[in-house]
Amino acid sequence: MKTSNKFTTMRVAFAPFFFLIYNIPLWTQSELLYKISAFCMIPLLALFELTDFFDGYYARKNGEVSDFGKLYDPFADVMLNLTVFLCATKSAAGNGVSYMPLVIFALILYREFSMNFIRMVAVSKGTAIAARKGGKFKTVFYITSGFFMLAVESALRLGFEPACFASLLVVAKILFSVCLVLSYISFIDYIKTFYSLIKNGS
């Protein structure tokens, strides 16, 4: 396997691992696991998000840019970011508290599945759709929103509930709402740019 693709695979493999790190303390209600997860969620996610830089760096440095990589990289991004978003639908605060309303998660999920379908149609026509600027900006906002949510959640798990917790929840919901808007703006851009491929594919 190419070096660049190895870094991409790390993101794919980390997605279910992160899901477990986030949720096992919620399932077990273990104070120890709450604290352990609070200390490791952000550093681990930062480490694996950094692989997005390294896969692109080594792809260019080693001449490993390929149609496969153009598909695999955004797929890995989606796997990891959707995992974080799914976790954001539940909080250690309990009582149904969430950072991301389930309806927003569902709409973003539909967008990502639809985008994946468009990529498959393009591949069937001999074209690999790489991430466009709008898609990359959307991903950056995905990551920023995810880290904000984890910062608040980690504080809760360590026993620190900010006096402004309710306000932070509102901020998180606003950030995830912006993620939703950006995701569909970029989706429309992809459709407009590759409309001829989609039309011919049907």
Side-chain angles (χ1 to χ4, degrees):
M1 181 183 287
K2 296 175 181 178
T3 302
S4 56
N5 290 337
K6 288 180 180 178
F7 281 108
T8 306
T9 299
M10 290 173 67
R11 289 205 302 290
V12 175
F14 179 65
F17 181 58
F18 180 85
F19 180 81
L20 293 175
I21 291 174
Y22 187 95
N23 284 289
I24 286 178
L26 296 176
W27 299 334
T28 62
Q29 293 297 302
S30 166
E31 290 297 324
L32 176 61
L33 292 180
Y34 270 130
K35 288 180 170 56
I36 292 174
S37 64
F39 281 115
C40 70
M41 286 190 300
I42 291 178
L44 283 175
L45 183 59
L47 174 64
F48 283 92
E49 289 288 6
L50 191 59
T51 64
D52 193 20
F53 165 78
F54 285 117
D55 64 23
Y57 172 77
Y58 281 103
R60 292 185 294 271
K61 179 182 178 182
N62 299 338
E64 297 175 353
V65 177
S66 64
D67 287 345
F68 175 80
K70 291 177 182 178
L71 296 174
Y72 195 31
D73 180 58
F75 168 75
D77 290 341
V78 168
M79 278 281 289
L80 185 53
N81 289 321
L82 284 183
T83 299
V84 175
F85 285 1
L86 178 59
C87 292
T89 61
K90 295 186 70 176
S91 167
N95 299 320
V97 173
S98 69
Y99 302 97
M100 172 183 276
L102 194 58
V103 64
I104 292 181
F105 174 76
L107 290 172
I108 290 178
L109 184 69
Y110 296 153
R111 182 271 185 199
E112 298 298 348
F113 277 1
S114 299
M115 189 63 230
N116 189 53
F117 175 74
I118 290 175
R119 291 184 191 279
M120 289 190 294
V121 171
V123 167
S124 71
K125 297 298 178 181
T127 300
I129 299 179
R132 291 173 58 79
K133 288 183 179 180
K136 291 179 179 179
F137 180 71
K138 174 265 302 180
T139 298
V140 170
F141 212 88
Y142 275 15
I143 295 169
T144 301
S145 302
F147 277 117
F148 177 84
M149 177 274 291
L150 287 177
V152 178
E153 180 67 13
S154 296
L156 284 178
R157 295 188 181 204
L158 291 173
F160 304 111
E161 182 170 338
C164 57
F165 178 65
S167 298
L168 294 176
L169 278 179
V170 172
V171 172
K173 287 180 170 61
I174 291 173
L175 288 174
F176 287 128
S177 297
V178 174
C179 286
L180 175 63
V181 172
L182 291 177
S183 72
Y184 276 89
I185 289 176
S186 67
F187 184 55
I188 292 171
D189 174 57
Y190 279 109
I191 292 176
K192 289 172 62 178
T193 303
F194 299 99
Y195 176 74
S196 60
L197 283 175
I198 300 169
K199 183 179 179 181
N200 292 335
S202 63

